[in-house]
């Protein structure tokens, strides 16, 4: 077991786009193991490498008893949007908000051994793939909320016990509100 500390909102690593994996080596396999151990210990449904301070495009997932990982993921989204599904994040302990996500996602990427894989997910699995791939782009679930929910989220974050170690930064979402971050 190699459980790592999970970085919390406010840590700049969570806002830094991760680099593609180039070397499918022993260190990558250790990273996948650390992510898996840390995710299962939390416990969580998914964990992205930046959440343990590693800027590589790698995530693990554990949804509907399916445990896996994906390297250098690319997503194709389809189906309707689930506007109401509650979503949380291990980097925002204790908080969940209704977060719009596509209900289907086809994730293409590689295993830690460099083999190409395609995984199709619906519902929670699709949500997980979108959430984790966002992490690799420095995007957080609060960026996906509508204006009202984001306002609630920022208030809850300010009041959270874990918050305040560094100044939070919120990106302006593509759907934003006259360019104002709430
Ligand atoms: Zn997360």
């Amino acid at each position: 077991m190699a459980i790592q500390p999970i970085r919390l909102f406010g840590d700049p690593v969570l806002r830094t786009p991760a680099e593609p994996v180039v070397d499918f080596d022993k260190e990558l396999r250790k990273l996948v193991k650390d992510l898996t151990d840390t995710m299962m210990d939390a416990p969580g449904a998914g964990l992205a490498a930046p959440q343990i301070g590693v800027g590589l495009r790698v995530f693990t997932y554990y949804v509907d008893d399916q445990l896996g990982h994906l390297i250098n993921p690319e997503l194709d989204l389809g189906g309707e949007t689930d506007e109401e599904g509650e979503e949380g994040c291990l980097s925002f302990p204790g908080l969940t908000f209704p977060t719009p996500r596509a209900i289907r996602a086809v994730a293409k990427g590689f295993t830690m051994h460099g083999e190409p894989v395609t995984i199709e997910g619906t519902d929670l699995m699709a949500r997980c793939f979108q959430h984790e791939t966002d992490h690799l782009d420095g995007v957080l679930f609060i960026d996906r909320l509508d204006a009202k929910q984001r306002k609630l989220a920022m208030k809850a974050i300010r009041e959270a016990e874990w918050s305040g170690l560094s100044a939070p930064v919120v990106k302006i979402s593509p759907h934003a509100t006259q360019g104002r971050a709430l």
Side-chain angles (χ1 to χ4, degrees):
M1 297 282 276
I3 295 163
Q4 302 293 323
I6 295 176
R7 306 300 181 93
L8 299 178
F9 179 60
D11 189 319
V13 73
L14 295 175
R15 286 307 197 184
T16 307
E19 298 288 330
V21 169
V22 177
D23 296 319
F24 289 78
D25 56 8
K26 203 172 129 193
E27 275 190 33
L28 178 65
R29 294 194 290 279
K30 180 173 185 306
L31 172 60
V32 170
K33 183 164 186 346
D34 286 356
L35 280 170
T36 303
D37 290 347
T38 305
M39 174 182 72
M40 298 307 276
D41 177 68
L47 191 65
Q51 291 180 279
I52 60 167
V54 177
L56 289 172
R57 300 185 75 82
V58 179
F59 70 74
T60 56
Y61 59 89
Y62 181 62
V63 175
D64 300 334
D65 290 327
Q66 285 191 70
L67 175 64
H69 68 276
L70 206 55
I71 316 291
N72 297 344
E74 287 182 25
L75 296 190
D76 274 326
L77 303 182
E80 316 218 319
T81 303
D82 171 12
E83 306 279 350
E84 302 288 313
E86 287 282 328
E87 191 169 311
C89 178
L90 293 173
S91 297
F92 297 74
L95 303 183
T96 64
F97 297 93
T99 309
R101 298 285 187 186
I103 61 169
R104 288 165 58 90
V106 177
K108 288 184 185 171
F110 297 87
T111 70
M112 61 184 160
H113 304 292
E115 295 145 0
V117 282
T118 300
I119 314 162
E120 190 169 348
T122 56
D123 300 315
L124 185 56
M125 186 73 93
R127 182 173 287 278
C128 172
F129 289 164
Q130 291 166 80
H131 181 111
E132 302 312 331
T133 303
D134 271 355
H135 269 302
L136 306 182
D137 295 326
V139 173
L140 301 170
F141 82 119
I142 53 169
D143 303 332
R144 301 286 185 183
L145 304 181
D146 67 27
K148 182 178 161 222
Q149 290 296 330
R150 189 175 317 115
K151 206 165 183 173
L152 291 172
M154 292 313 294
K155 183 168 187 288
I157 289 163
R158 279 194 302 272
E159 290 171 358
E161 278 176 27
W162 47 263
S163 132
L165 295 175
S166 51
V169 177
V170 176
K171 278 191 178 174
I172 294 160
S173 96
H175 315 291
T177 55
Q178 314 298 329
R180 288 187 53 191
L182 299 168

